[in-house]
Every structure is written in structure tokens, then in C-alpha cells.
Amino acid sequence: PINVLRNMALDGVKMRANQTYIFDPLVLVIDADTKMTGTMKEATEQLRSTLAFGEGPPRFHTFDDERTVFVIPAFAHAKNELMRLEVLDKHDLREYLMKGEAEIMHATSFPISYLGSLDMWRWTFATEPYAVRYTHRWEPYYIARMGLNFPYFDERFVDRGLNKAQQQFSLFARNYRYVVVPDLFVVDTPMPSKVNRGFKPARGSGLNAAIAKSFLHFNQTYLHRLWETFVTETVNSQNLTCDDKI
């Protein structure tokens, strides 16, 4: 029940914030097996700088932090998925990228989910925040303010598949904009090959393999139908049409 656990974590953020009289806290949403460079305090300071800068010249439009998803790019080792990138800051990471030893996490295997609107080289040399467009089923790591419009995760999504993408679609449907932060990033923590990150079919033949394949078929069919239902519900609840979003 991965989204149940995420919502419990979000409730914990709100509870902790309310105890210190912060009623719309900033929340960092990443996976447990990733690590962000720096601390949340440093990240908050960078966000303040981002908000103050806005889109910069020539328009100088400010960012509305009540409806902005601040995208935090994620990186992994490009040549060995079991090796962790040993980097302290963007300067270190840039050296890995220039040598072809780092890439956006899962950009090759799951580009729709992890690459989305990210341009690795644009971010690599960016010194200022910049806005990007939401893309269907994108699920970036991010920082956002938990205001009145902030949606929780849909707990109907279980196991792997679309469980983060659904929240991003909810944010998009609520007119959140996406801004990439130039100096914050996270690094993937490789898992030993024996660690199972999700349900995988058993190899070979026999009863166990048949049960595994049957489960995966059911899960994929369930996810497809659930996603269609979820998108329809979200569009209707926000009174959206395709023309509204174009």
C-alpha cells in the first residue's frame, strides 16, 4: 500500500508543521532509496532565491509558490546501476555527466516517468530556475507547498506503476506549474540485485510461474482501467476540458 504510506508521511509533515505554527509547509517528495544533496534548510534557502528571482529578465514574472512544483532532477550511474554516484554538489555531478558516467535516473528504461520534460544538458549548465511543461505520466521528485489545493496520493494505486504519476496529474489539473531548480538534485541509491523492488514473474514453468504471470496480467489490466477512471474523475472534478489545458 505504497500511497497509504506516502499519505501517512504527508500527515506527519502537516502535524509537525502545525506544532510550530507553520500551516502551509514545504514538503520534499522523494523515494526512500534516493538522497538529496545538502539539507532541507539549504534547499529552502535556494527556493527562496528561486522565488525572488522568478523567471528573470526580460519579464520578471514571479513564481506562485502556492501552485508550483519545484522539480528536483534525479541522477544515477550511467555505466553500472549497482554503483552510486559519489558527488557532493553540482560541480562534481557535472564532471560525471561530461564523461558520460551519469544520467537522469531511469531515463533509458522509463523515459515517460522519469525524463518527462527534463533536458539533462539544459539543467547541467543552468544557473537560474526555468519553467517546463507537464508531460503525461511524468513523476518527478519535487518540493511543493502543502496549501489548500495540494492533493494527497490516491490510495487505490498499489504496488508499482502510476502511483506517483497520478499525484502529478492531480497537481497539473489544479493548474500547478513546473519549475526546475538549477542547484538541487537527488542521487539514486543502488539496491543489491537480490532486493526485489516490486513483484516480478518467476522464471521457467510450473505453478509458481503461472501464478506470477497471472498476477502481473491482472495488475496491468487493473492499472490500465484504474488510470482511465482516475483521469476521468480528476478532469470532471476540476471542470476541465482539453481546450482548457491547451
Side-chain angles (χ1 to χ4, degrees):
I2 190 167
N3 279 357
V4 174
L5 299 176
R6 288 185 174 125
N7 286 340
M8 290 173 64
L10 291 176
D11 281 336
V13 170
K14 273 199 169 183
M15 184 182 302
R16 182 73 177 270
N18 290 341
Q19 291 172 351
T20 55
Y21 302 100
I22 300 174
F23 299 106
D24 293 323
L26 288 168
V27 61
L28 168 66
V29 179
I30 60 176
D31 285 335
D33 56 354
T34 59
K35 181 180 180 181
M36 189 178 73
T37 55
T39 65
M40 193 61 182
K41 181 180 179 181
E42 293 171 343
T44 303
E45 291 174 352
Q46 289 193 40
L47 285 185
R48 287 182 182 141
S49 176
T50 296
L51 289 168
F53 184 84
E55 292 188 25
R59 292 177 293 177
F60 288 100
H61 290 170
T62 58
F63 295 129
D64 174 17
D65 71 332
E66 290 293 332
R67 288 181 184 263
T68 299
V69 174
F70 294 100
V71 177
I72 312 297
F75 293 88
H77 205 286
K79 296 182 178 180
N80 189 338
E81 63 180 13
L82 296 181
M83 287 184 63
R84 178 173 177 170
L85 289 174
E86 299 297 336
V87 295
L88 296 177
D89 52 30
K90 188 173 181 178
H91 179 270
D92 292 344
L93 177 61
R94 188 182 291 122
E95 292 188 0
Y96 274 88
L97 292 169
M98 296 297 290
K99 292 186 292 185
E101 295 180 359
E103 63 181 2
I104 293 178
M105 187 177 73
H106 303 321
T108 303
S109 52
F110 300 103
I112 293 177
S113 300
Y114 289 90
L115 188 58
S117 289
L118 288 174
D119 181 323
M120 185 178 76
W121 294 116
R122 181 181 182 184
W123 180 87
T124 299
F125 296 102
T127 58
E128 301 164 352
Y130 57 93
V132 295
R133 297 189 65 178
Y134 166 82
T135 56
H136 187 54
R137 296 194 180 187
W138 190 24
E139 46 184 59
Y141 299 130
Y142 68 94
I143 295 176
R145 191 171 294 283
M146 294 183 66
L148 294 176
N149 294 303
F150 183 82
Y152 273 54
F153 290 89
D154 191 318
E155 296 179 2
R156 291 176 295 179
F157 288 83
V158 296
D159 201 54
R160 304 193 72 182
L162 303 176
N163 49 73
K164 290 185 294 185
Q166 63 79 205
Q167 194 207 30
Q168 291 302 322
F169 186 81
S170 294
L171 290 163
F172 166 70
R174 288 165 171 77
N175 285 321
Y176 277 69
R177 67 184 309 187
Y178 288 73
V179 174
V180 181
V181 182
D183 295 316
L184 294 177
F185 63 94
V186 301
V187 174
D188 184 35
T189 300
M191 292 291 175
S193 57
K194 63 182 180 180
V195 174
N196 188 359
R197 286 188 171 186
F199 192 92
K200 296 181 180 179
R203 295 182 178 181
S205 57
L207 182 60
N208 289 339
I211 292 174
K213 290 178 181 179
S214 177
F215 174 83
L216 283 179
H217 175 73
F218 166 79
N219 194 44
Q220 291 168 357
T221 303
Y222 170 77
L223 271 179
H224 178 73
R225 292 178 180 175
L226 177 57
W227 180 259
E228 289 186 342
T229 300
F230 165 76
V231 169
T232 301
E233 291 174 352
T234 303
V235 168
N236 291 338
S237 67
Q238 299 299 315
N239 296 318
L240 296 178
T241 65
C242 290
D243 291 339
D244 289 334
K245 303 312 298 182
I246 294 174

